[in-house]
Amino acid sequence: MQPISKARLEQFSDGVFAIAITLLALEIKVPHLENTDLKNSLHELLPLIPNIATFILSFLGIAIFWVNHHQLTRNISTVSRRVVWGNMLFLLFVTLIPFATSAMAENYGNILAVMTYSLILLGSSSSFSILRYFVEKHEGNTKVKILRSLVGPMVYSLAFLSAFYSLGTTYALLIIPPLFYFLPRK
Amino acid sequence: MQPISKARLEQFSDGVFAIAITLLALEIKVPHLENTDLKNSLHELLPLIPNIATFILSFLGIAIFWVNHHQLTRNISTVSRRVVWGNMLFLLFVTLIPFATSAMAENYGNILAVMTYSLILLGSSSSFSILRYFVEKHEGNTKVKILRSLVGPMVYSLAFLSAFYSLGTTYALLIIPPLFYFLPRK
Amino acid sequence: MQPISKARLEQFSDGVFAIAITLLALEIKVPHLENTDLKNSLHELLPLIPNIATFILSFLGIAIFWVNHHQLTRNISTVSRRVVWGNMLFLLFVTLIPFATSAMAENYGNILAVMTYSLILLGSSSSFSILRYFVEKHEGNTKVKILRSLVGPMVYSLAFLSAFYSLGTTYALLIIPPLFYFLPRK
Amino acid sequence: MQPISKARLEQFSDGVFAIAITLLALEIKVPHLENTDLKNSLHELLPLIPNIATFILSFLGIAIFWVNHHQLTRNISTVSRRVVWGNMLFLLFVTLIPFATSAMAENYGNILAVMTYSLILLGSSSSFSILRYFVEKHEGNTKVKILRSLVGPMVYSLAFLSAFYSLGTTYALLIIPPLFYFLPRK
């Protein structure tokens, strides 16, 4: 296989990121409001709250993936076959995030929906760690920072498992990776 | 954090703008026309009029944001972490514009739909002002033109508040920011 | 207004073109097939035929617009304000083509749907001619080839008007602009 | 016709690829889960299995097309009119893949849906071979590797024909082209 140009890999990936992040908002179903009176209409909006919370969580997730993806590819010189397909596996999970968001928002409080969401984010973060490993190895970088890269996969695994016992814990765990990202770093 | 390249930030943002602006038209629901006779069919098209008016309003809004975004980023050299996340917050509101458009078009005359629309455009224009502030500060520009930048947020706040008293006023106020943009400037 | 960079105008326009052309296929509704037996299923597919014909017509239309748009912008040096907004008006009509396609396909034989389709393609081709005029003038090109540029708008106007008398004529006229494009040129 | 720039042809094509591959996941319908109890919910998920299998198959298909498309265009210098329109024909079939995926997933076990899917992938791979032929000829490459290029079209033709006798064979044949791609090459 001839090497893939970095510019086009980024261009294609940016397209997928941009579409996935924009489709998130499309999944917030527009309610058909029956009342023209403010007080009664507000009641009809209540079911939108879990939708909006999930929307923001997924938006943050994809945004962080985009920033990390950018920082990963920015210093590489060539793209190997393994990097191309590691990237494709990662994008496969990214394209599933709008589906997972919609499943969780429309089935608020359903254990299976929460597990699906956790699983798809586990897939995204794990495949990103694999991609990072491929890139670092291809670049001849021997001391790969494994630990930080494993925070996401570990927390999402815990979120998945905790769903068997307490959905509240799962929801709390799902918020940790974005928060962790914004922690000040030394 | 390593700096983000300007080219890729623009590429990703352009993707989001292009998708959001194209999805606007997708939200105009295609009516199933029962009559094959022109006169009667025209009656079935009447409910499309608020849809089309809102579509044009939102199209103009996103188009103006795109032009302003372009002019903001064109002269910057590097992208700081704050600029990246200011940009993400702005894009979050941009991706919500098709949702707001659809909500307003499908619930014509509903106070809550109009308030949602005003609120999302208030969010877009405010976050764009914040982004502009971050960019100018990062570039070391001391005399930031605050005033012009606040027209949008102020008018959309008024639109939101006026909905409590008169929806007609709100509709009128929502048209002002695009008109203001096309005023000749000295 | 500071000048807009040509590269980003093309990038944004390409995004809109790519999304509009891909959404065309999304508008072909997937039928829920009741029969597992080939002969009976074929009958259920019959309503898809006008859908597919309209899909191909619109695909060709957008593809030709893309090629023409590319050839228009490829030789320009700077982008004026009028060119930016002429381009936006053109893109507004391009984003409406999937809607028009869907309206015509779902309401096969309905005069209003056919007129809407003709009108939106009249808008696209006219606004493209206006854009071409702005570009040529900005580039200081005095002898603009008006005639070729008016074929589209003229034929789509005829298509619109002919709908009052005979839908068959309208369908035939709608096929002419793409055919004309592929005629060998001296 | 003036020559088309390679960069913009790639940019437009990447947009179409990115949207088509992201829409695949959108076609997985989100089920409305009735049970909040894990065991019963799992039963409701069973109909999702053919959806997910088809999703992965189509994702792989588009990903392989993207890699091949990239390798085809990377070494070309200029783009002829025939290459532009060969590329458009290829993209037409790519935009139909989400439709075909949805048709096959929603009508699991229906002969017509399977034939439609085979036909659209036959169209994609054949038009890609035609595009490759145009590119190689334009570049003056005389010894075009025809054989490898014909594997896809041949297998998809067999898949289409086998549907008359045994759907199981068709499903098996549809998996061959992606597997073949990942075979180690000498």
Side-chain angles (χ1 to χ4, degrees):
Chain A
M1 196 173 94
Q2 294 164 20
I4 291 283
S5 88
K6 193 184 101 174
R8 215 178 147 187
L9 186 83
E10 290 184 342
Q11 186 168 285
F12 175 67
S13 306
D14 274 0
V16 173
F17 280 121
I19 299 155
I21 216 169
T22 313
L23 289 180
L24 289 177
L26 206 73
E27 302 282 348
I28 309 175
K29 295 292 174 302
V30 176
H32 190 77
L33 303 166
E34 296 294 335
N35 296 293
T36 48
D37 151 63
L38 189 61
K39 249 188 200 154
N40 291 320
S41 294
L42 275 173
H43 283 281
E44 300 184 55
L45 280 203
L46 281 181
L48 276 185
I49 292 177
N51 277 30
I52 290 168
T54 322
F55 162 71
I56 293 174
L57 192 64
S58 298
F59 192 97
L60 264 181
I62 298 183
I64 293 172
F65 278 134
W66 180 80
V67 172
N68 284 338
H69 188 268
H70 179 277
Q71 300 197 317
L72 187 64
T73 59
R74 103 176 303 244
N75 292 315
I76 67 178
S77 34
T78 55
V79 180
S80 71
R81 188 169 185 175
R82 285 171 84 187
V83 170
V84 169
W85 288 102
N87 193 55
M88 284 293 180
L89 182 68
F90 169 58
L91 291 182
L92 185 146
F93 283 107
V94 170
T95 68
L96 286 170
I97 293 178
F99 165 77
T101 306
S102 184
M104 189 151 99
E106 281 194 29
N107 300 286
Y108 181 65
N110 181 287
I111 177 171
L112 214 67
V114 175
M115 290 175 99
T116 304
Y117 189 89
S118 309
L119 217 58
I120 284 172
L121 275 131
L122 174 58
S124 316
S125 60
S126 307
S127 56
F128 187 73
S129 299
I130 294 170
L131 175 61
R132 170 170 288 165
Y133 179 78
F134 285 170
V135 168
E136 303 277 12
K137 245 193 131 180
H138 183 69
E139 294 293 299
N141 198 338
T142 45
K143 39 171 196 165
V144 184
K145 278 179 254 154
I146 291 283
L147 212 69
R148 170 168 274 273
S149 187
L150 290 182
V151 172
M154 283 185 323
V155 177
Y156 289 122
S157 303
L158 284 178
F160 177 76
L161 293 172
S162 72
F164 287 106
Y165 304 100
S166 141
L167 284 191
T169 313
T170 316
Y171 287 123
L173 282 166
L174 288 173
I175 299 168
I176 289 184
L179 287 184
F180 178 78
Y181 177 85
F182 286 104
L183 277 190
R185 301 176 200 179
K186 279 166 279 188
Chain B
M1 196 174 91
Q2 294 166 19
I4 290 282
S5 89
K6 194 184 101 175
R8 215 179 147 185
L9 186 85
E10 289 183 342
Q11 186 168 286
F12 175 66
S13 306
D14 274 0
V16 173
F17 279 121
I19 300 155
I21 216 169
T22 313
L23 288 180
L24 289 178
L26 206 73
E27 302 283 349
I28 309 176
K29 294 293 175 302
V30 175
H32 190 77
L33 303 167
E34 295 294 334
N35 296 293
T36 47
D37 151 62
L38 188 61
K39 249 191 202 152
N40 291 320
S41 293
L42 276 174
H43 283 282
E44 300 185 56
L45 281 201
L46 281 182
L48 276 185
I49 292 177
N51 278 31
I52 290 168
T54 322
F55 162 71
I56 293 174
L57 192 65
S58 298
F59 192 98
L60 263 181
I62 298 183
I64 292 172
F65 278 134
W66 180 80
V67 173
N68 284 338
H69 189 268
H70 179 277
Q71 300 199 317
L72 187 65
T73 60
R74 104 175 303 243
N75 292 315
I76 66 179
S77 35
T78 55
V79 180
S80 70
R81 188 170 186 176
R82 283 170 85 187
V83 170
V84 169
W85 288 102
N87 193 55
M88 284 293 179
L89 182 68
F90 169 58
L91 292 181
L92 184 146
F93 283 106
V94 170
T95 68
L96 285 170
I97 293 178
F99 165 76
T101 306
S102 184
M104 190 152 98
E106 281 194 30
N107 300 285
Y108 181 65
N110 182 287
I111 177 171
L112 215 66
V114 175
M115 290 174 99
T116 304
Y117 189 89
S118 309
L119 217 58
I120 285 172
L121 275 131
L122 173 59
S124 316
S125 60
S126 308
S127 56
F128 187 73
S129 299
I130 294 170
L131 175 61
R132 170 169 288 165
Y133 179 79
F134 285 170
V135 167
E136 304 278 12
K137 243 192 134 181
H138 183 68
E139 294 293 300
N141 198 338
T142 45
K143 37 171 196 164
V144 184
K145 278 179 256 156
I146 291 283
L147 212 70
R148 170 169 274 274
S149 188
L150 290 182
V151 172
M154 282 184 323
V155 176
Y156 289 122
S157 302
L158 283 178
F160 177 76
L161 293 172
S162 71
F164 287 106
Y165 303 100
S166 141
L167 285 192
T169 313
T170 315
Y171 287 123
L173 282 166
L174 289 174
I175 299 169
I176 288 183
L179 287 184
F180 178 78
Y181 178 84
F182 286 103
L183 277 190
R185 301 174 199 178
K186 278 166 279 187
Chain C
M1 197 175 90
Q2 294 165 20
I4 290 282
S5 90
K6 194 184 101 175
R8 215 178 147 185
L9 186 84
E10 290 184 342
Q11 185 167 284
F12 175 67
S13 306
D14 274 0
V16 173
F17 279 120
I19 299 154
I21 215 168
T22 313
L23 289 180
L24 289 177
L26 206 74
E27 302 283 348
I28 309 175
K29 296 291 175 303
V30 176
H32 190 78
L33 302 167
E34 296 294 334
N35 296 293
T36 48
D37 151 63
L38 189 61
K39 249 190 202 154
N40 291 320
S41 293
L42 275 173
H43 283 281
E44 300 185 55
L45 280 202
L46 281 181
L48 274 185
I49 292 177
N51 278 31
I52 291 168
T54 321
F55 162 70
I56 293 174
L57 192 64
S58 298
F59 192 98
L60 263 181
I62 298 183
I64 293 172
F65 278 133
W66 180 80
V67 172
N68 284 338
H69 188 267
H70 179 278
Q71 299 197 319
L72 186 65
T73 58
R74 104 175 302 243
N75 293 315
I76 67 179
S77 35
T78 55
V79 181
S80 70
R81 188 170 185 176
R82 284 170 84 188
V83 169
V84 169
W85 287 103
N87 193 55
M88 283 295 179
L89 182 68
F90 169 58
L91 292 182
L92 184 146
F93 283 106
V94 170
T95 68
L96 285 170
I97 294 178
F99 165 77
T101 306
S102 185
M104 189 151 99
E106 280 194 29
N107 300 286
Y108 181 65
N110 181 288
I111 178 172
L112 214 66
V114 175
M115 290 174 98
T116 304
Y117 189 89
S118 308
L119 216 59
I120 285 172
L121 275 131
L122 173 58
S124 316
S125 61
S126 307
S127 56
F128 186 73
S129 299
I130 293 169
L131 175 61
R132 171 170 288 164
Y133 179 79
F134 285 170
V135 167
E136 303 278 11
K137 243 192 133 181
H138 183 68
E139 294 293 299
N141 198 338
T142 46
K143 39 170 195 166
V144 184
K145 279 179 253 155
I146 291 283
L147 212 70
R148 170 169 274 274
S149 188
L150 291 182
V151 172
M154 282 185 324
V155 177
Y156 289 122
S157 303
L158 284 178
F160 177 76
L161 294 172
S162 71
F164 287 106
Y165 304 99
S166 142
L167 285 191
T169 313
T170 316
Y171 287 123
L173 282 166
L174 289 173
I175 300 168
I176 288 184
L179 287 184
F180 178 78
Y181 178 84
F182 287 104
L183 277 190
R185 301 178 199 177
K186 279 166 278 187
Chain D
M1 195 174 92
Q2 294 165 21
I4 290 282
S5 89
K6 194 184 100 175
R8 215 178 146 185
L9 186 83
E10 290 184 342
Q11 185 168 285
F12 176 67
S13 306
D14 274 0
V16 173
F17 279 121
I19 299 154
I21 216 169
T22 313
L23 289 180
L24 289 177
L26 206 74
E27 302 283 347
I28 309 175
K29 295 292 175 303
V30 176
H32 190 78
L33 302 167
E34 296 293 335
N35 296 294
T36 47
D37 151 63
L38 188 61
K39 250 191 201 152
N40 292 320
S41 292
L42 275 174
H43 283 280
E44 300 184 57
L45 279 202
L46 281 181
L48 274 186
I49 292 177
N51 277 30
I52 290 168
T54 321
F55 162 71
I56 293 174
L57 192 65
S58 298
F59 192 97
L60 264 181
I62 298 183
I64 293 172
F65 278 133
W66 180 80
V67 173
N68 284 339
H69 188 268
H70 179 277
Q71 299 197 319
L72 186 65
T73 59
R74 103 175 304 242
N75 293 316
I76 67 178
S77 35
T78 55
V79 180
S80 70
R81 189 170 185 175
R82 283 170 84 187
V83 169
V84 169
W85 288 102
N87 193 55
M88 284 293 179
L89 182 68
F90 169 59
L91 291 181
L92 184 146
F93 283 107
V94 170
T95 68
L96 286 170
I97 294 178
F99 166 76
T101 306
S102 184
M104 190 151 98
E106 281 194 29
N107 300 285
Y108 181 64
N110 181 287
I111 177 172
L112 214 66
V114 175
M115 290 174 98
T116 303
Y117 189 89
S118 309
L119 217 58
I120 285 172
L121 275 130
L122 173 58
S124 317
S125 60
S126 307
S127 57
F128 186 73
S129 299
I130 293 169
L131 174 62
R132 170 170 288 163
Y133 179 78
F134 285 170
V135 168
E136 303 277 13
K137 244 192 132 182
H138 183 68
E139 295 292 300
N141 198 338
T142 46
K143 39 171 196 165
V144 184
K145 278 179 255 155
I146 291 283
L147 212 71
R148 170 170 274 273
S149 187
L150 291 182
V151 172
M154 282 184 324
V155 177
Y156 289 121
S157 303
L158 283 177
F160 177 76
L161 293 172
S162 72
F164 287 106
Y165 304 100
S166 142
L167 285 191
T169 314
T170 315
Y171 288 122
L173 283 166
L174 288 173
I175 300 168
I176 289 183
L179 287 184
F180 178 78
Y181 177 85
F182 287 103
L183 277 190
R185 302 175 198 176
K186 278 166 279 188

